[in-house]
Amino acid sequence: MTGNHNAAPTTQNSAADIEMEPFTPHRHEQCRRFQIVSASGLSYEIFVSIPRQAPPPEGFPVLYLLDANADFALADQVLERLSRRPEATGVAPAILVGIGYPETEGYNQPRRHFDLTAGPTRDPFYAKTALTFGGQSAFIAFLQDRLKPLIRSRFPADSRRETILGHSLGGYFVATLATAKPDLFSGYIAISPSIWWDRDGLLASLAVPSPSRPQTIRLYLAAGSQEGETATGEQNAGTQTSAHDALRQRRRMIGNVRDLAERCKAVCRDAVDLRLDIIADEDHSSIFVACLPKALRFTLPFSSAD
């Protein structure tokens, strides 16, 4: 598979060598994509969408999006639509940076399971998988030392307002960053985070943002009401199985996200501005679409100073 993390390392390209190719996924000519190599030799395909508006003096806020091969076009459309009239929607125009993988359509499961995890899970679903895990530290270093500096150097970005968004296993990774490295971004959006992957480790890693940080971080958590119970559609179709029901109970999507919210409130107090949404009638797939405007409004708030 192209982009396999077990492949021979590729030479790391310098910022000056990176060619940014225009592309138009759906809306305007202010989009770029390029490939970049991490210090560990892994290749990433990066998608960048720049707002139509002129940048403010301090630059645009930046929204980093995981699993961009699958979700970039959707997130870009929602962000662009909401930020057309920010004074009405409450969402500021922002640069969208999608983090994906070369020659990938949809989700690259081998790469994302490697990048987003610090090690294997004890969930029996993965007992016999051929996937490998444990690249999380290298991926965090890539974000911190390679990608973010590149975006700041090539685009009108405000380094004080950087948010990262992930769904499912990506949401688990975002929650891990928010708890263990709260100073890396100013905003964190974890949609239906797979906290079950390593619930105890995630909760134990909870750290308070640095006292020198000029403002509190924003943490948005969400899950769908149907993630913690038998989904109505499945009941009507008669497709619900005891195995699927057991999976829901074992992974406790709603219970875990509530536990994380309560733990953050107890440990971080005024250092974190937290919002938790349990959205009615949504499941693990639909929740991403349903909560995106709420998440953007919370983490990318518009003010008259923008």
Coordinates of all heavy atoms in Angstrom, one line a residue, residues 261-300:
A261 N -15.1 15.0 30.2 CA -15.5 16.4 30.5 C -15.5 16.7 32.0 O -15.0 17.7 32.4 CB -16.9 16.6 29.9
E262 N -16.0 15.8 32.8 CA -16.0 16.0 34.2 C -14.6 16.0 34.8 O -14.3 16.9 35.6 CB -16.8 14.9 34.9 CG -18.3 15.0 34.7 CD -18.9 16.3 35.1 OE1 -18.5 16.8 36.2 OE2 -19.7 16.9 34.3
R263 N -13.7 15.2 34.3 CA -12.3 15.2 34.7 C -11.6 16.5 34.4 O -10.9 17.0 35.2 CB -11.6 14.0 34.1 CG -10.2 13.8 34.7 CD -10.2 13.3 36.1 NE -8.8 13.1 36.6 CZ -8.2 11.9 36.5 NH1 -8.8 10.9 35.9 NH2 -6.9 11.8 36.9
C264 N -11.8 16.9 33.2 CA -11.2 18.2 32.7 C -11.7 19.4 33.6 O -10.9 20.2 34.0 CB -11.6 18.5 31.3 SG -10.7 17.5 30.1
K265 N -13.0 19.4 33.9 CA -13.5 20.5 34.7 C -12.9 20.4 36.1 O -12.6 21.5 36.7 CB -15.1 20.3 34.8 CG -15.8 20.7 33.6 CD -17.3 20.4 33.7 CE -18.1 20.7 32.4 NZ -19.5 20.4 32.6
A266 N -12.7 19.2 36.7 CA -12.2 19.1 38.0 C -10.7 19.5 38.1 O -10.3 20.1 39.1 CB -12.4 17.6 38.5
V267 N -9.9 19.1 37.1 CA -8.5 19.3 37.1 C -8.1 20.6 36.6 O -7.2 21.3 37.2 CB -7.8 18.2 36.3 CG1 -6.3 18.4 36.2 CG2 -8.0 16.8 37.0
C268 N -8.7 21.0 35.5 CA -8.2 22.3 34.8 C -9.0 23.5 35.2 O -8.5 24.6 35.0 CB -8.4 22.1 33.3 SG -7.4 20.7 32.7
R269 N -10.1 23.4 35.7 CA -10.9 24.6 36.2 C -10.9 25.7 35.2 O -11.5 25.5 34.1 CB -10.4 25.0 37.6 CG -10.5 24.0 38.7 CD -10.0 24.6 40.0 NE -10.2 23.6 41.1 CZ -9.3 22.7 41.4 NH1 -8.1 22.7 40.8 NH2 -9.5 21.8 42.4
D270 N -10.4 26.8 35.5 CA -10.5 28.0 34.6 C -9.5 28.0 33.4 O -9.6 28.9 32.6 CB -10.2 29.3 35.4 CG -11.2 29.5 36.5 OD1 -12.4 29.0 36.4 OD2 -10.9 30.1 37.5
A271 N -8.7 27.0 33.3 CA -7.7 26.9 32.3 C -8.3 26.4 31.0 O -7.7 26.5 29.9 CB -6.5 26.0 32.6
V272 N -9.5 25.8 31.0 CA -10.1 25.2 29.8 C -11.6 25.7 29.8 O -12.3 25.6 30.7 CB -10.1 23.7 29.9 CG1 -10.8 23.1 28.7 CG2 -8.6 23.1 29.9
D273 N -11.9 26.2 28.6 CA -13.3 26.5 28.3 C -13.9 25.3 27.6 O -13.5 25.1 26.4 CB -13.4 27.8 27.5 CG -14.8 28.3 27.3 OD1 -15.7 27.7 27.8 OD2 -15.0 29.3 26.6
L274 N -14.8 24.6 28.2 CA -15.2 23.3 27.7 C -16.7 23.3 27.3 O -17.5 23.8 28.1 CB -14.9 22.2 28.7 CG -15.2 20.7 28.3 CD1 -14.2 19.8 29.0 CD2 -16.6 20.3 28.6
R275 N -17.0 22.7 26.2 CA -18.4 22.5 25.9 C -18.6 21.0 25.5 O -17.8 20.5 24.7 CB -18.8 23.4 24.7 CG -20.2 23.1 24.2 CD -20.7 24.1 23.2 NE -22.0 23.7 22.6 CZ -22.7 24.4 21.8 NH1 -22.4 25.7 21.5 NH2 -23.9 24.0 21.3
L276 N -19.6 20.4 26.0 CA -20.0 19.0 25.7 C -21.4 19.0 25.1 O -22.3 19.5 25.7 CB -19.9 18.1 26.9 CG -20.5 16.7 26.8 CD1 -19.8 15.9 25.8 CD2 -20.5 16.0 28.2
D277 N -21.5 18.4 23.9 CA -22.8 18.3 23.3 C -23.1 16.8 23.1 O -22.3 16.1 22.5 CB -22.9 19.0 21.9 CG -23.0 20.5 22.1 OD1 -23.5 20.9 23.1 OD2 -22.7 21.2 21.1
I278 N -24.3 16.3 23.6 CA -24.8 15.0 23.2 C -26.0 15.3 22.3 O -27.0 15.8 22.8 CB -25.2 14.2 24.5 CG1 -24.1 14.1 25.5 CG2 -25.7 12.8 24.0 CD1 -22.9 13.4 25.0
I279 N -25.8 15.0 21.1 CA -26.8 15.5 20.1 C -27.8 14.4 19.8 O -27.5 13.3 19.4 CB -26.1 16.0 18.8 CG1 -25.1 17.1 19.2 CG2 -27.1 16.5 17.8 CD1 -24.3 17.7 18.0
A280 N -29.1 14.8 19.9 CA -30.2 13.8 19.8 C -30.2 13.3 18.3 O -30.0 14.0 17.4 CB -31.5 14.5 20.1
D281 N -30.6 12.0 18.3 CA -30.9 11.3 17.0 C -29.7 11.1 16.1 O -29.9 10.8 14.9 CB -32.0 12.0 16.2 CG -33.3 12.1 17.1 OD1 -33.6 11.1 17.8 OD2 -34.0 13.2 17.0
E282 N -28.5 11.3 16.6 CA -27.3 11.2 15.7 C -26.5 10.0 16.2 O -26.5 9.6 17.4 CB -26.4 12.4 15.7 CG -27.2 13.7 15.4 CD -27.8 13.7 14.0 OE1 -27.4 12.9 13.2 OE2 -28.6 14.6 13.8
D283 N -25.8 9.3 15.2 CA -25.0 8.2 15.5 C -23.5 8.5 15.2 O -23.2 9.6 14.9 CB -25.5 6.9 14.8 CG -25.3 7.0 13.3 OD1 -24.7 8.0 12.8 OD2 -25.8 6.1 12.6
H284 N -22.7 7.5 15.2 CA -21.2 7.7 15.0 C -20.9 8.3 13.7 O -19.9 9.1 13.6 CB -20.5 6.4 15.2 CG -19.0 6.6 15.4 ND1 -18.5 7.2 16.5 CD2 -17.9 6.2 14.6 CE1 -17.2 7.2 16.5 NE2 -16.8 6.6 15.3
S285 N -21.7 8.0 12.7 CA -21.4 8.6 11.3 C -22.0 10.0 11.2 O -21.3 10.9 10.7 CB -21.9 7.7 10.3 OG -21.3 6.4 10.3
S286 N -23.2 10.2 11.6 CA -23.9 11.4 11.3 C -23.5 12.5 12.2 O -23.7 13.7 11.9 CB -25.4 11.2 11.4 OG -25.8 10.8 12.7
I287 N -22.9 12.2 13.4 CA -22.6 13.2 14.4 C -21.6 14.3 13.8 O -21.7 15.5 14.1 CB -22.0 12.6 15.6 CG1 -21.7 13.6 16.7 CG2 -20.8 11.8 15.3 CD1 -22.9 14.3 17.3
F288 N -20.7 13.8 12.9 CA -19.7 14.8 12.3 C -20.4 15.9 11.6 O -20.0 17.1 11.8 CB -18.8 14.0 11.4 CG -17.6 14.8 10.8 CD1 -16.5 15.0 11.6 CD2 -17.8 15.5 9.6 CE1 -15.4 15.7 11.1 CE2 -16.7 16.3 9.1 CZ -15.5 16.4 9.9
V289 N -21.4 15.6 10.8 CA -22.1 16.6 10.0 C -23.0 17.4 11.0 O -23.0 18.7 10.8 CB -23.0 15.9 9.0 CG1 -23.8 17.0 8.2 CG2 -22.1 15.1 8.0
A290 N -23.6 16.8 11.9 CA -24.6 17.5 12.8 C -23.9 18.5 13.7 O -24.5 19.6 14.0 CB -25.4 16.5 13.6
C291 N -22.7 18.2 14.2 CA -22.2 19.1 15.2 C -21.1 20.1 14.7 O -20.6 20.9 15.4 CB -21.6 18.3 16.4 SG -20.0 17.5 16.0
L292 N -20.8 20.0 13.4 CA -19.7 20.8 12.9 C -19.9 22.3 13.0 O -19.0 23.0 13.5 CB -19.4 20.4 11.4 CG -18.1 20.8 10.8 CD1 -16.9 20.4 11.7 CD2 -17.9 20.3 9.4
P293 N -21.1 22.8 12.7 CA -21.3 24.3 12.9 C -21.2 24.7 14.4 O -20.6 25.7 14.7 CB -22.8 24.5 12.4 CG -23.0 23.4 11.4 CD -22.3 22.2 12.0
K294 N -21.7 23.8 15.3 CA -21.6 24.2 16.7 C -20.1 24.2 17.2 O -19.7 25.1 17.9 CB -22.3 23.1 17.6 CG -23.8 23.0 17.3 CD -24.4 21.9 18.1 CE -25.8 21.5 17.7 NZ -26.8 22.7 17.9
A295 N -19.3 23.2 16.7 CA -17.9 23.1 17.0 C -17.1 24.3 16.5 O -16.3 24.9 17.2 CB -17.3 21.8 16.5
L296 N -17.4 24.7 15.3 CA -16.7 25.8 14.7 C -17.1 27.1 15.4 O -16.2 28.0 15.6 CB -17.0 25.9 13.2 CG -16.6 24.7 12.3 CD1 -16.9 24.9 10.9 CD2 -15.0 24.5 12.5
R297 N -18.3 27.3 15.7 CA -18.8 28.5 16.4 C -18.1 28.6 17.8 O -17.8 29.7 18.2 CB -20.3 28.5 16.5 CG -20.9 29.8 17.0 CD -22.4 29.8 17.0 NE -22.9 29.7 15.6 CZ -23.6 28.6 15.2 NH1 -23.8 27.6 16.0 NH2 -24.0 28.6 13.9
F298 N -17.9 27.5 18.4 CA -17.3 27.5 19.8 C -15.8 27.7 19.7 O -15.2 28.5 20.5 CB -17.6 26.2 20.5 CG -17.0 26.1 21.9 CD1 -17.6 26.8 22.9 CD2 -15.9 25.3 22.1 CE1 -17.0 26.7 24.2 CE2 -15.4 25.2 23.4 CZ -16.0 25.9 24.4
T299 N -15.1 27.1 18.8 CA -13.6 27.2 18.7 C -13.1 28.3 17.8 O -11.9 28.6 18.0 CB -13.0 25.8 18.3 OG1 -13.6 25.4 17.1 CG2 -13.3 24.8 19.4
L300 N -13.9 28.7 16.9 CA -13.4 29.8 16.0 C -14.4 31.0 16.1 O -15.0 31.4 15.1 CB -13.4 29.3 14.5 CG -12.4 28.2 14.2 CD1 -12.7 27.7 12.8 CD2 -11.0 28.6 14.4

